[in-house]
Amino acid sequence: MKDLLRILVSPVVWLASFSAIYALHGLICQLDPGASEPFGVSLSRITLIAAFVLAVLVQAGLLALLYSLRFGAAPGFARSVSRMSGWVGLVATLWTLFPTLAVSSCGW
Amino acid sequence: MFITFTAIFVFVMALLALSFRPVGNGVSQASGERLWIIGLGLIFPAVILLCLLAYGLWIGERLLPRSDADVTRIEAEARRWSWRFSYENDPRRSTENVLHIPAGRPVDIEITTADVIHSFWVPRLAGKLDAIPGHVNVLRIEADAPGTYTGLSAEFSGHGYDNHSFAVIAHGPEDWQKFLEGEQ
Amino acid sequence: MNALARHRRLTAIWSSEPGWKGWLSTVNHSDVGRMFIVTASFHFLVGGILAMLIRAQLATPNSAFAGPEIYSQLFTMHGTIMMFLFAIPMIEGLAIYLLPKMLGTRDLAYPRLTAYGYWCYFFGGAMLLISLVFGIAPDGGWFMYPPLTGRIHSPGINTDFWLIGITFVEISAICAAVEFTVSILKYRAPGMTLGKMPVFAWYMLVVSLMILTGFPPLILGSILLELERAFALPFFQVELGGDSLLWQHLFWLFGHPEVYIIFLPAAGMVSTILPVMASTTLLGYRWVVAAAVALAILSFGLWVHHMFTTGIPHMGLAFFSAASTLVAVPTAVQVFAWIGTMWKGTPQLRLPMLHILGFFITFVIGGLTGVMVAVVPFDWQVHDTAFVTAHLHYVLFGGFVFPVLAGIYYWLPLVTGNRRFFRLGKVAFALIFAGFHVTFLAMHWVGLMGQRRRISTYAPEDGWTAINLISSVGGFVLAFGLAVVLIEVVLSFVVRHRAPRNPWGSGMLEWAIPRPSAAYNFASLPRVNSRDPLWDDQNLPVRIARGEGYLGDPASGRRETLMIDSATAEPEQLVIYPANTRLPIVLAAVTGLFFLSLLLKIYLITPLAIAGVVALGWRWVWRLGSKQDLGDQPIGHGVAVPTIAEVSRPPGWWGSVFLLVANATLFGSLLFGYAFLWTIAPGWPPPAFIAPSLPTMLAAAVGAALAVAGVAIAVRTNRNGGTPVSGLLAAVAGALGLVAVFAMMLWSAPPAAGHAYNATVMVLGSYGLVHAALASLMLIFLLARHRAGYMSQRRRGELAIVKVWTMYLAGVTGLVVPAVYLPGLVT
């Protein structure tokens, strides 16, 4: 069971952060915090980017855990598959959430 | 896009056909994984897909209805099975099943519905956007030249769905002025 | 005991009753699997006939063959039948039949549940087919978007058939998913660790977890929509604080994973069959497993791409567009692992291989058009045109039907014991392949020319006449090919032409059993040391038949198998299965009565049906267990393990955990719906929030604490040799207190039909009420079991199961009570 958890954890955390950031974005567009722009960038974009960076850091941390001797799987099948899925989580976070950096936010 | 995809398809099929060669396939497990899975399975599609994604997002960005002084706003309300268009300059003025727009200028259509979900679609002018109860969706369209275009509802809405369509008439500057003044 | 005597003895223990009556009482996975496959094939036939009617209608312009009223029913039912009554049950049937044989065990984890799932599917499917016969079938499209399907715009019973019938059928999918998950994790041959599992089992494990988390949103959506239709609870009515977009979210939260739930088992079959056809092993087993896991989870992040035209902000679109392109990468990993496997081995063009090639060609095209549709601007053009129809048929027919056909031809000798005699397979393949591509290439084309989906006819001026005619002709060729397959399968049962054991030279365990497959599968359970045990030891079938494995001595006369530790794969528990019983079909019939009473709005019967389900459920669990301690039982090779009644984590504990995963997803979807309506729906905030009641909140906290603590004390005293009665009584008091809390909550709530907020509160309270009542019932059941002598210090399994449900109740209480009262407290 623990091996199964090791294999599933990173992609599941990706799913959670992906849904959370999508919801956060929907919420921001709904509330429309207005044009407060502390550093020339709108507050909503800063929030989204912060969430994105946080999600990436969490994934990197998980990957480090999966590679660590203490929390990683025993050598063999479970170790290699759990590390692969750890990379899947990290790459998926970068790939699917990078629009927070570049794409325009609430327009249609 | 079609050319790239045809090329990919032909490439994959060629690989498939070549696997039936009678001799000399001897792929070892390790080198096989490197070549087939990491090379062809991971890197090859990732590169193509990233390019495609960037291209799609860039086009999408360009299609966004940005605020623009020159933009005309028209409300479109769908119901089973007709469309009513009202024009901002004169709230009393509305047309049924015929949408009048100025040619050569961006137009924002504010789409909503009186009953079920419909979809506003003028194939030659823009993509489609849904009319959803309680929400207003804005679609930017622009006709390059005056003329008549076909508009369709593209979301199944029951038995009258087949003929749920409308016409779009794009006017030149003078005709548009006349239309606004109520002469047409 | 020699092999033949052992075979006879085991057959007597395991087989169903003779004659057709055996079908009604069988709980054997091979029987139920075959029943699933036959019923699913029948539905495929019906769905196929509907497709032919659709193509007949569209073959010519201005066709008067079917009016829009009939045509709407045709395409709605075609989609519904193919998705819910053919594809998913077909997967269930194949996996029910194959998994125990591949895993080296004698049955699935819960044999009676297998049968119950089948009968739910059978009765639910029958409901939908009856509506079709009477011309009152659902007609709002298979996606059932409200408000079109709400009571204002669809007042008839048509939509209710869909919502109630499909929910009934979904029970079977959830049952099967729980069953597969537990069976794959715990019911394997000794020595078969996760890394030595057949790749098909990995795929099915992933798919089962997807069903457990993917189906609940749809079940919730169906419940909410039916509540709106029957009792005017306005979840999707915008005037009263609802939002029709909520349905779209719930539907596609299910709908996109659904596509992969259908595709992944088929990919598992390809991964199993292809290496055998190329006389080699699968290239990159670990990569393929990782790709399947990645694909499964990524597919949950795609649902909004079905809603690209609903006016989602561009960044939201960008997220889902990115995820939709990313999901193609693990698919590509699998495709290239398969092609690499072919390069590694020496592929031979036998019949299953032909269908796999058909799969490759069709699926790669479908995948490429899928990537096109993932690009937002392109999707805006082709969304809801025939292009999308063609794309999804390439993916589903290519990605599902071709592999299933390959699988049918591959495993047919195992089922029938015969080889094919008339050699019609290649003709059938040619017809299917040519017919399919003619039909759907034409459809791509006409879609790009602007033909919308779901129109019942078109005008000659549209210029689509010739293409549509070509498409229809192709469709009929395809149907003809499928008919030939059906004829050949029937013939291979009838014409005796003995197949050799392991005709394809596979290394997997399912070919180590007698053919046609025996009811008990394995005369003794082998120890497995690699993924291809038959290649390690050519003599394995004989040694299994001689009883040289575990449980080779059928002296006890019980249906027995082993549960293993999921990591080390060493024997852990001795499973004693229930034997043939009519309980599943009766319970399914009473469950059906419940759904029927809702459908026909005869609400007097509803409580009776619920009471019937409770009584039968009580009987269901009462029959298990034993009144004495049996102690550790010898299983051969000098090993002894406890029976399932005498461990802390019996099968029922594992099943409860995974059932609660599905249940929690349903509850999570409900909370999501609440939050969604609050933030997105136009009619919020509601006129008034419920005033928080401090006594109720306090009572909820005390009740939940008492229930959890009571069960914990009962478990501890029982472990220490004391009596669990006082702990259980405290827990019952706590759970009954929660029943009162939720009843009060519902009693004091404002009229549910007034606003979506009130309606949501009602559903939340009812959810809590149902779980409190269920936990109370379970705790009372434990008291009765203790009194009747079914519990002891050793026989402690049932306590562990009820503990899980009580803790879940406490969790639900801790979320429902604040969700209902906090808004009133804050504002």
Side-chain angles (χ1 to χ4, degrees), chain C residues 430-639:
Chain C
L431 288 174
I432 293 171
F433 187 78
F436 177 82
H437 283 274
V438 169
T439 311
F440 291 101
L441 279 176
M443 207 179 273
H444 274 123
W445 187 11
V446 82
L448 287 178
M449 290 170 70
Q451 181 173 326
R452 291 172 295 160
R453 292 171 87 169
R454 305 187 183 103
I455 52 165
S456 66
T457 192
Y458 51 92
E461 308 86 82
D462 291 324
W464 304 330
T465 312
I467 310 177
N468 271 306
L469 186 62
I470 292 171
S471 177
S472 294
V473 170
F476 281 90
V477 173
L478 166 63
F480 198 65
L482 288 167
V484 177
V485 172
L486 185 66
I487 292 170
E488 183 161 44
V489 169
V490 171
L491 280 179
S492 82
F493 273 93
V494 176
V495 182
R496 295 251 166 249
H497 189 61
R498 200 93 171 105
R501 196 197 280 265
N502 197 1
W504 312 103
S506 161
M508 280 172 50
L509 274 181
E510 79 261 28
W511 299 104
I513 65 173
R515 75 215 179 283
S517 60
Y520 57 84
N521 287 348
F522 295 88
S524 61
L525 302 186
R527 175 166 275 278
V528 170
N529 300 311
S530 79
R531 283 200 289 274
D532 294 296
L534 269 188
W535 289 351
D536 299 344
D537 178 5
Q538 295 286 343
N539 228 12
L540 188 66
V542 180
R543 297 205 296 111
I544 291 173
R546 280 203 208 122
E548 291 176 19
Y550 295 94
L551 297 178
D553 180 12
S556 72
R558 298 177 305 211
R559 299 188 179 187
E560 292 174 332
T561 196
L562 289 178
M563 258 171 104
I564 54 159
D565 176 83
S566 72
T568 61
E570 289 308 316
E572 186 184 81
Q573 310 176 23
L574 174 68
V575 179
I576 299 162
Y577 286 123
N580 297 331
T581 165
R582 300 242 171 103
L583 207 49
I585 186 174
V586 176
L587 182 58
V590 178
T591 316
L593 191 67
F594 168 75
F595 285 108
L596 205 62
S597 71
L598 296 180
L599 177 67
L600 302 176
K601 306 203 189 309
I602 312 173
Y603 298 122
L604 273 177
I605 301 180
T606 315
L608 292 180
I610 293 174
V613 169
V614 168
L616 288 164
W618 184 288
R619 195 174 151 77
W620 184 290
V621 270
W622 190 269
R623 282 194 185 179
L624 301 172
S626 142
K627 291 194 183 187
Q628 307 109 36
D629 287 343
L630 296 174
D632 286 359
Q633 303 275 306
I635 57 169
H637 297 266
V639 183

Side-chain angles (χ1 to χ4, degrees), chain A residues 17-85:
Chain A
S17 53
F18 179 75
S19 310
I21 291 181
Y22 173 62
L24 179 69
H25 170 247
L27 212 60
I28 286 175
C29 289
Q30 203 68 24
L31 298 177
D32 194 12
S36 103
E37 296 188 351
F39 311 104
V41 193
S42 73
L43 192 63
S44 51
R45 172 144 339 246
I46 292 173
T47 319
L48 284 169
I49 291 176
F52 171 57
V53 172
L54 182 71
V56 172
L57 288 178
V58 168
Q59 287 290 344
L62 280 175
L63 194 60
L65 282 183
L66 289 172
Y67 271 88
S68 73
L69 289 176
R70 181 132 176 249
F71 295 99
F77 171 78
R79 175 179 282 186
S80 50
V81 175
S82 63
R83 287 179 182 179
M84 284 177 205
S85 68

Side-chain angles (χ1 to χ4, degrees), chain C residues 193-316:
Chain C
T193 52
L194 287 178
K196 294 193 183 102
M197 246 168 35
V199 71
F200 182 73
W202 262 111
Y203 276 97
M204 283 313 300
L205 177 63
V206 166
V207 168
S208 306
L209 293 173
M210 289 178 76
I211 291 178
L212 291 180
T213 44
F215 277 42
L218 176 69
I219 295 177
L220 177 75
S222 303
I223 293 173
L224 298 186
L225 186 51
E226 187 55 34
L227 284 175
E228 173 173 315
R229 290 179 56 83
F231 305 110
L233 269 53
F235 295 103
F236 307 107
Q237 256 170 284
V238 73
E239 305 80 29
L240 293 170
D243 196 332
S244 60
L245 279 177
L246 174 61
W247 171 268
Q248 297 199 20
H249 278 289
L250 291 175
F251 187 84
W252 292 115
L253 266 171
F254 146 81
H256 201 86
E258 157 90 346
V259 175
Y260 291 87
I261 289 170
I262 292 173
F263 167 65
L264 281 171
M269 282 188 240
V270 173
S271 296
T272 307
I273 299 170
L274 185 83
V276 177
M277 292 293 123
S279 324
T280 181
T281 52
L282 182 65
L283 180 78
Y285 173 86
R286 294 170 183 194
W287 288 93
V288 171
V289 170
V293 170
L295 195 58
I297 300 174
L298 289 175
S299 75
F300 279 89
L302 305 179
W303 81 94
V304 173
H305 84 203
H306 295 268
M307 302 163 62
F308 274 177
T309 61
T310 58
I312 307 253
H314 193 234
M315 188 186 285

Side-chain angles (χ1 to χ4, degrees), chain B residues 5 15 19 21 25 29 33 36 40 49 52 61 80 117 121 126 128 130 134-135 137 153-155 162, chain C residues 148 153 243 248 284 287 309-310 314 325 336 342-345 365 368 371-372 380-381 383-384 452 456 682:
Chain B
F5 282 4
L15 288 177
S19 73
R21 289 175 309 157
N25 281 343
Q29 190 76 26
E33 285 188 9
W36 289 98
L40 288 169
L49 290 167
L52 195 67
E61 248 346 74
R80 303 208 294 175
I117 298 174
W121 186 31
K128 54 183 76 72
D130 289 354
H135 296 265
N137 286 331
S153 176
E155 185 65 54
D162 289 356
Chain C
L148 179 61
H153 299 290
D243 196 332
Q248 297 199 20
W287 288 93
T309 61
T310 58
H314 193 234
T325 49
F336 284 105
M342 290 170 68
W343 279 63
K344 187 157 82 90
I365 297 177
L368 290 174
V371 174
M372 292 186 195
W380 280 341
Q381 266 317 319
H383 192 93
D384 269 312
R452 291 172 295 160
S456 66

